[in-house]
Amino acid sequence: MIFLALFRESVLFALHALRVNRLRTILSLLGVTIGIFAIITVFTAVDSMEKKVRESMSSLGENVVYVEKWPWTFGPEYPWWKYINRPLPDIKELEEVKRRTTLADAVVFVADMRKTVSAGTSFVENCIVTAASHDFDQVNTFDIKTGRYFSELESETGRAVAVIGSAVADALFPSTDPVGQTIKLFGRNVEVVGVVAQQGESMFGTSLDAKVLLPMHYARTLVDITAEEYQPHLLVKARNGVKTEDLTDELEGVMRGLRRLKPTSDDNFALNEVSLLAQPTQEVFNLLGTIGWIIGAFSILVGGFGIANIMFVSVRERTSQIGIQKSLGARNSFILMQFMIESVVLCLIGGILGLLLVWVISVLVASLLDFDFSLSLANVVLGISISILIGLISGFIPSYSASQLDPVEAIRSNA
């Protein structure tokens, strides 16, 4: 009860300081407000971008290994001449990898090409057409909005059917249900059997919104899908509970066996993981976080001095009151706590104002840019925690000096 009474009194003193010295207090709080705003805005932006990356990685498959010709390591020292003569993954290797792996849940052959897709007078130029074996829906995460995915019979017999993305459906069939309609592709009629639910933009360009999916065996009757220009590759998804590293180790042995490589020979294939794509972006996020801390730290440092200044003024103005309290038996710890709470409350007000600004910015960005820029509970807690910490640090010396005042001298100070 004593603590609650003390807390209430300290809050009232803090609000009184705001009212009496409104301009000075607001200017002093501005440092804390800007500091919290800078730090939390950067962290919110980083969190939102990381969330976007995770969603994009999920669409790629976080436990999926890509068997390709080119490794996903780039930079000035990229030895392309070592990789250019490597053989491309072949359809025959699809069945062999399926047969020999014990840790894989699904193995898919994929080839991408750009073609014009039309329906009536509507058309989409440079549409990405993906030829994939049947288990493509087991490796990639997506929902079907209307219609269905290919049946196994359609995939194996190479029937002229297609599953299209939502953006392609909107462009070709703006006023009719695409399912059951016919699109023109490679000069052939292809029946639409399903539409993929909208996925939104992907940071890695993997969204199916603007793509057309074809059964691999149908696509190979139209073009040579094993050609270099179509970037053929295998996707291998690990079984539940199997680490990607273990699957990669097994695949390395399987691929070396398939290609009959000598023990001393280098691999002539690349086993790429989605995590490799996230490494450069993670470094950028770490840099942004550091910049946010630096900018925020300077602002908070200035704000902390401002709060300390207010607290010194508050102690000077209430010196006689402190003397009376101590002459009536108030302990030093009581006086110390009283001013510390007041300092923390002032910083909390500044921090909450900073968080409110972040929230306003997040609402504006989300509405104007169609980007999920949301203030998370973790960042709210972080902002409040930093505010409390600054209040404790900046208020300690004024509070300690108040607690050490001699009661007689303090009472005489305003006599």
Side-chain angles (χ1 to χ4, degrees), residues 127-329:
C127 180
I128 300 175
V129 179
T130 298
S133 53
H134 183 68
D135 289 337
F136 183 78
D137 64 333
Q138 302 298 313
V139 176
N140 284 264
T141 305
F142 62 87
D143 296 321
I144 295 293
K145 180 182 177 183
T146 56
R148 57 178 175 79
Y149 184 66
F150 310 125
S151 68
E152 189 165 1
L153 181 63
E154 289 169 339
S155 294
E156 294 304 319
T157 58
R159 192 183 162 199
V161 290
V163 174
I164 62 178
S166 59
V168 177
D170 292 340
L172 299 182
F173 306 101
S175 57
T176 57
D177 183 0
V179 177
Q181 303 293 325
T182 299
I183 60 174
K184 185 79 80 177
L185 189 60
F186 297 98
R188 307 282 185 88
N189 290 326
V190 180
E191 181 188 354
V192 177
V193 296
V195 178
V196 178
Q198 185 176 7
Q199 295 183 319
E201 291 186 7
S202 165
M203 297 187 73
F204 303 125
T206 57
S207 170
L208 295 177
D209 290 351
K211 290 185 178 181
V212 172
L213 292 178
L214 292 180
M216 177 187 71
H217 290 302
Y218 173 65
R220 65 189 300 194
T221 65
L222 306 174
V223 295
D224 180 12
I225 58 175
T226 61
E228 174 101 35
E229 61 183 305
Y230 301 135
Q231 303 173 23
H233 55 278
L234 300 179
L235 304 180
V236 186
K237 183 180 181 182
R239 292 184 184 277
N240 287 334
V242 173
K243 294 180 179 178
T244 309
E245 294 81 7
D246 296 335
L247 177 62
T248 302
D249 290 341
E250 184 185 53
L251 278 175
E252 184 176 10
V254 169
M255 289 302 297
R256 287 185 67 86
L258 276 175
R259 296 190 175 182
R260 299 179 180 178
L261 297 176
K262 296 179 181 178
T264 55
S265 301
D266 294 333
D267 292 343
N268 61 356
F269 54 87
L271 301 177
N272 297 314
E273 299 175 31
V274 176
S275 58
L276 295 174
L277 294 176
Q279 286 179 358
T281 53
Q282 189 60 51
E283 292 174 1
V284 174
F285 294 154
N286 293 338
L287 177 63
L288 289 175
T290 303
I291 292 173
W293 274 113
I294 293 173
I295 296 173
F298 277 110
S299 301
I300 286 177
L301 184 65
V302 174
F305 282 120
I307 296 297
N309 180 51
I310 288 180
M311 294 308 300
F312 275 120
V313 172
S314 182
V315 170
R316 189 176 66 248
E317 290 176 345
R318 289 152 52 191
T319 301
S320 61
Q321 185 181 347
I322 295 169
I324 294 171
Q325 286 181 330
K326 298 191 77 170
S327 65
L328 292 176

